[in-house]
Amino acid sequence: MTLASSVIVPYAAYLRVYEPLGAFPEPERTHWAAYAKREELPGVQDELRRSLADLLPVPPVPVPVHESADAFVAVVDGVTCVCPWRTRLRGWLALEELPERLPGPLLDAALPPVVRRQAASDYEQWLERNPDARPWIRSATWHVPVRWFVLFADEERECTKGDDGLILRYRTPMVQARRRVARGLKVLKEALGEGPLIDGLVDVGRWLEEFHPRSLVELDYGGLVHVVPAGQLEDDRSAADVAEGLAALRDGDGERAGSAYERLTDRWSEIRGRQNAS
């Protein structure tokens, strides 16, 4: 077993969009149609292990040399939908965020400046050829952003045991996700006026508009299921808390909204606190 294949999943959650095959231009549509018919398809752990493998060389490879030809596949009401990994694009985007997450000396030790400069130059040239590129997957480490829960309802929550272990996810049609974003923004703007939650939700809404209206939106707790005790996962109703908080704000009930927000912050502050303890 290689080091990459034996690494426990990082504590990250994912927001994914699965688009119907008809949303892709040729020849990509033909590629994904054939790909979806394979008997064995790679899963979340396979994607993770491949990305980790690039970090083993010295110096590390922060962005894959070639774009991935893999995707996650879901069948929605008989329609095949795919979520391309686009690991190269996501690597560039993650690299841009690193200076905000890591102290300078630690960042330089993990990824030398010369490596980051070359990656930034490659990304700039790639963007010139692909100005409309966007990722089908967003990720967040050690937490699930509150704004992501706005897209889902509690009854869309799924907690199952899969080949890769416990899976906790929400899935909803794109039309529902967009509708909830619009309603949530209306409530928040009327109640709060402005703030980081509103800005974040606006950003998510704009991202969703990039995709086909018959897409599927998925929130996957990913590696977070390995750091949260099973009992807490069973009791986690974050989407319901967000929905209750928004309903309370709409009704002008500040006390009830505050209680829902407190449940959320207490839950996720405890989880994020384990990052420094690990």
Side-chain angles (χ1 to χ4, degrees):
M1 180 179 292
T2 66
L3 175 60
S5 64
S6 63
V7 174
I8 298 297
V9 293
Y11 303 128
Y14 305 92
L15 187 64
R16 304 186 182 105
V17 172
Y18 294 75
E19 284 196 286
L21 292 174
F24 294 91
E26 293 291 2
E28 192 174 7
R29 182 187 308 172
T30 298
H31 166 76
W32 291 132
Y35 180 91
K37 294 178 181 178
R38 294 182 183 178
E39 291 186 6
E40 293 187 10
L41 294 172
V44 174
Q45 291 295 306
D46 297 299
E47 182 207 12
L48 177 63
R49 288 163 185 156
R50 293 179 194 178
S51 63
L52 289 174
D54 286 331
L55 299 180
L56 296 180
V58 179
V61 180
V63 178
V65 177
H66 302 289
E67 186 56 272
S68 172
D70 287 302
F72 297 117
V73 178
V75 178
V76 185
D77 296 330
V79 177
T80 300
C81 298
V82 297
C83 174
W85 288 3
R86 290 296 191 270
T87 49
R88 197 170 194 225
L89 173 57
R90 289 163 55 207
W92 277 317
L93 296 175
L95 200 59
E96 289 184 332
E97 298 175 358
L98 277 182
E100 301 175 3
R101 298 183 177 182
L102 297 177
L106 180 58
L107 177 59
D108 291 342
L111 289 173
V114 64
V115 174
R116 303 201 306 273
R117 285 196 297 269
Q118 182 59 57
S121 176
D122 293 343
Y123 183 37
E124 184 176 346
Q125 295 177 37
W126 184 87
L127 274 181
E128 291 179 358
R129 302 189 300 271
N130 303 274
D132 298 323
R134 78 280 198 252
W136 278 256
I137 306 173
R138 289 188 167 194
S139 61
T141 56
W142 287 98
H143 74 299
V144 177
V146 171
R147 58 186 177 273
W148 290 6
F149 288 114
V150 176
L151 281 57
F152 305 92
D154 184 63
E155 58 267 23
E156 294 165 342
R157 180 182 183 276
E158 304 173 17
C159 191
T160 59
K161 192 78 171 178
D163 294 337
D164 294 327
L166 189 64
I167 298 172
L168 178 55
R169 71 186 183 191
Y170 294 80
R171 282 182 165 183
T172 196
M174 175 63 77
V175 63
Q176 283 283 22
R178 289 177 178 171
R179 184 178 295 123
R180 288 167 182 152
V181 167
R183 291 174 177 172
L185 280 173
K186 183 176 186 296
V187 171
L188 290 172
K189 288 178 179 179
E190 291 177 351
L192 305 178
E194 59 183 22
L197 180 56
I198 294 175
D199 295 340
L201 193 53
V202 167
D203 176 64
V204 170
R206 288 173 177 167
W207 179 63
L208 294 179
E209 290 295 332
E210 297 285 340
F211 301 98
H212 193 280
R214 293 192 63 187
S215 299
L216 174 75
V217 186
E218 174 185 81
L219 191 168
D220 182 359
Y221 271 48
L224 293 182
V225 299
H226 297 277
V227 72
V228 182
Q232 291 187 27
L233 282 176
E234 293 174 2
D235 295 336
D236 183 336
R237 289 294 189 275
S238 293
D241 289 334
V242 169
E244 181 177 350
L246 288 172
L249 285 176
R250 185 176 60 245
D251 297 339
D253 190 339
E255 182 176 352
R256 184 160 61 97
S259 296
Y261 183 73
E262 185 176 354
R263 288 195 299 273
L264 275 169
T265 54
D266 287 349
R267 179 182 302 127
W268 291 104
S269 293
E270 179 183 353
I271 295 172
R272 298 194 77 165
R274 295 174 186 172
Q275 178 178 8
N276 297 325
S278 62

